Amino acid sequence: MNSTVDPFDTEPTDVRGAALAALRGWATRRDRLADNRADLMAAAWWAGTRTIAELARAADVSRDTVYDDLRARGVDPTDKAAESAGMLPPYAPLTAEPVRELAQHAWSLVRPAMLTERPNRLANAAWHLSIALDRIGILLEDSTDPDRKVDVGESLLAQLAGAQEAAQKYWAELDIPYKEHLTAFRTAVPVGGEGTAVIDSADLTLRYPSSQETFSVKFDPDPFEPAGWNVVSSDHPQLGTQLTVAERLAIQTAVHTLGRLLNRRLHPDDSDGGESAMSEPGPTVPPVRPWPYTDTATTEASR
């Protein structure tokens, strides 16, 4: 995006510059509306909507425009049996410009909710994700500056961590019984399917670099929860068993992340190809990854 002001690097005091950057982003999107409409039209066709009149009503355009949009995307609208319902457009590599445009749009929608002393958790998560999208767009650009790639990559990780922390705190603040929080934990942080090894117990030694004083933190199996869920104890007076809900979710997220990393070594065939493989979704079917597996129906029934 050829924007002279990056809203993500703009301090809150420079609201004028940030607002102008968002407005320029809208102007760029406006110029691409016809292309975007054709993409959406083709996507609706591939998803199974083969009635020209229905497509015209949904987009509020003429039937001739529907025909033109579909043909511009390689679709023959007169041959309704050419592809079966549920087929998706062919693979196209992700490029920087549309991702950064999406980031600008997301930022402009989320920004007003952040203009307060205490934004709510979901607004905070959305804010971090909008910035993460921008960073992904930058990384997709063909840059000859390796230092910039490193800096932006670090920023992407930080923004995703910020979104995750906000989501954990949101779960923790839900006005539901503690047991239901644990059910939410198992939904948010799946342990893995059959054949997956879990971290049963671990002993950590923490040290203060200045005083060299050490203390221990121990993870043991939780006798009241499924395998892979732990209770935490410590000989440090401030790290007892009375963890907050958000702290427990953060700990389990870290433990399961480590477990998934180690399982990639146990199942090398699934480490790259298996993890990247995703079944294509139909109009109302979410993508399905082969691992880790979560039985959402069972989870919902246990609530």
Side-chain angles (χ1 to χ4, degrees), residues 84-167:
S84 61
M87 283 290 292
L88 294 178
Y91 166 79
L94 191 64
T95 57
E97 190 168 7
V99 175
R100 297 203 73 190
E101 286 182 9
L102 178 60
Q104 287 276 3
H105 184 54
W107 177 85
S108 65
L109 294 176
V110 177
R111 174 68 179 176
M114 298 299 293
L115 298 179
T116 178
E117 290 185 4
R118 298 189 64 181
N120 69 50
R121 304 300 187 195
L122 294 182
N124 219 322
W127 172 255
H128 284 293
L129 290 175
S130 70
I131 301 176
L133 279 172
D134 175 76
R135 300 317 185 227
I136 292 172
I138 294 174
L139 291 171
L140 287 169
E141 293 173 349
D142 184 16
S143 173
T144 58
D145 184 355
D147 291 337
R148 177 169 169 79
K149 292 283 189 180
V150 171
D151 291 342
V152 175
E154 290 178 346
S155 176
L156 172 60
L157 291 174
Q159 297 303 328
L160 292 175
Q164 178 175 270
E165 181 180 354

